[in-house]
Amino acid sequence: MKKRTITVLLTLVLMITLATPAVYAGGLLESKAVYYTDESDYVDGDCILTATRMMIRRAAIMNNKDGWMQITNESLRPEATTDGLLLYSFSYDSEGVKYTVESGSFKGEGSYARIDEFESLLEEYPEGIVVWGIEAASTGTHGVLVVRAEDGEVYAMDSSYNMGMFREGIQKWEDTTMLDPGLVTDYWYISDITYTGNDASDYSRKSLQWKRRHISRPSIVV
C-alpha cells in the first residue's frame, strides 16, 4: 500500500512539473501586452520586423524564458535587417538561447491552398510564422505573424493594431489589415533553437520537439 501511495505521489509531482511550463506559456500567450509595441521602438516599415520579434517572443515564452520583454525591435534590428529590410536568414541571441530564423516561399495558389500551407507550417512551428506579400494588405505591402490556422480560420498578430492607441493582440485574419491570404508570397520561421550556455549540448530544437508539441495551446480570445 505504501509503495503504491509513493508511486502515485511521484506521478503527480511529475505531472505538475511537466504542466507548469505549459500553464505559464498558455496564459502568457493570450496576453495582449505581449504583442504591444511602443511607438518609440517602431520605425516606419517595421511591420515585418515587429512580426518576427513577436514570433521570437512566443518561442521564448513557450520555452519558459522570463526575459521575453527584452526582445525588442531595437535589439533585433542589427541582427535581422540591412538597410531597413528583413534578412532572409539570421540568428538572434537572448537569455543564452540562439534563435535561427530562415525564410521560404509559398507554393500554392489561392486562399485555400495558402491556408493549408499555414496549417502545415504551424504544426512544426507553433510559435508562429511571419507572412508577407506585396499589396497583401489594405495598406499595401505588409507582413503579419500567423499563430493559428484551424478549420479555415486564420489568426494573426498585426503590428498595425498593436501600437499606439491599439492593443488588439491576436485577431482573426479578416480583422487585420491583410486581404486574401493567397496574396502573401513569402514567410519566415524559426528553423532552430539552441542554448549557447553551458548546457548547449542538451538543448536544441530536436530535443525540444516533445516539449513543444505538449505545450497546451491557448484559446484565442478575439
Side-chain angles (χ1 to χ4, degrees):
M1 184 65 179
K2 287 183 178 180
K3 184 176 181 180
R4 182 179 177 182
T5 301
I6 292 172
T7 301
V8 171
L9 288 172
L10 288 173
T11 301
L12 287 172
V13 170
L14 179 60
M15 289 175 65
I16 292 171
T17 301
L18 291 174
T20 299
V23 172
Y24 168 84
L28 200 50
L29 291 175
E30 293 178 23
S31 173
K32 293 180 180 181
V34 170
Y35 305 103
Y36 183 76
T37 298
D38 190 278
E39 289 182 280
S40 64
D41 193 36
Y42 193 94
V43 175
D44 285 345
D46 266 0
C47 61
I48 194 167
L49 175 68
T50 303
T52 302
R53 177 184 120 223
M54 298 308 177
M55 175 176 68
I56 297 173
R57 272 193 174 188
R58 282 173 59 87
I61 291 169
M62 284 180 167
N63 289 293
N64 212 27
K65 307 304 291 184
D66 295 324
W68 56 269
M69 290 186 68
Q70 299 170 12
I71 303 172
T72 62
N73 283 357
E74 182 180 3
S75 68
L76 184 59
R77 193 185 311 280
E79 308 298 332
T81 68
T82 181
D83 296 327
L85 301 175
L86 193 72
L87 297 170
Y88 287 113
S89 63
F90 64 89
S91 293
Y92 173 77
D93 288 85
S94 176
E95 293 187 279
V97 179
K98 182 171 75 173
Y99 303 90
T100 300
V101 175
E102 296 186 22
S103 59
S105 298
F106 291 110
K107 307 297 183 183
E109 296 183 5
S111 59
Y112 293 112
R114 190 67 74 250
I115 292 172
D116 284 343
E117 289 177 287
F118 289 172
E119 291 181 357
S120 296
L121 286 165
L122 289 170
E123 281 296 316
E124 188 169 0
Y125 309 107
E127 61 270 356
I129 55 171
V130 175
V131 303
W132 172 92
I134 297 174
E135 303 300 322
S138 59
T139 54
T141 300
H142 195 49
V144 298
L145 173 65
V146 173
V147 300
R148 184 173 295 184
E150 292 179 346
D151 300 322
E153 191 74 77
V154 179
Y155 296 87
M157 189 292 307
D158 187 342
S159 61
S160 298
Y161 287 105
N162 287 281
M163 186 174 60
M165 63 187 296
F166 296 104
R167 293 176 180 265
E168 298 302 321
I170 296 168
Q171 302 170 281
K172 289 183 178 179
W173 181 272
E174 56 265 32
D175 294 330
T176 69
T177 58
M178 301 300 283
L179 302 174
D180 191 296
L183 293 175
V184 297
T185 55
D186 300 277
Y187 63 92
W188 282 257
Y189 63 101
I190 298 177
S191 63
D192 194 41
I193 302 172
T194 55
Y195 255 111
T196 55
N198 295 330
D199 49 356
S201 62
D202 299 324
Y203 194 103
S204 67
R205 176 174 281 280
K206 288 184 178 179
S207 67
L208 284 173
Q209 288 303 314
W210 185 92
K211 178 181 175 183
R212 289 161 54 79
R213 290 172 182 169
H214 287 74
I215 289 177
S216 59
R217 299 189 182 189
S219 299
I220 295 176
V221 180
V222 295

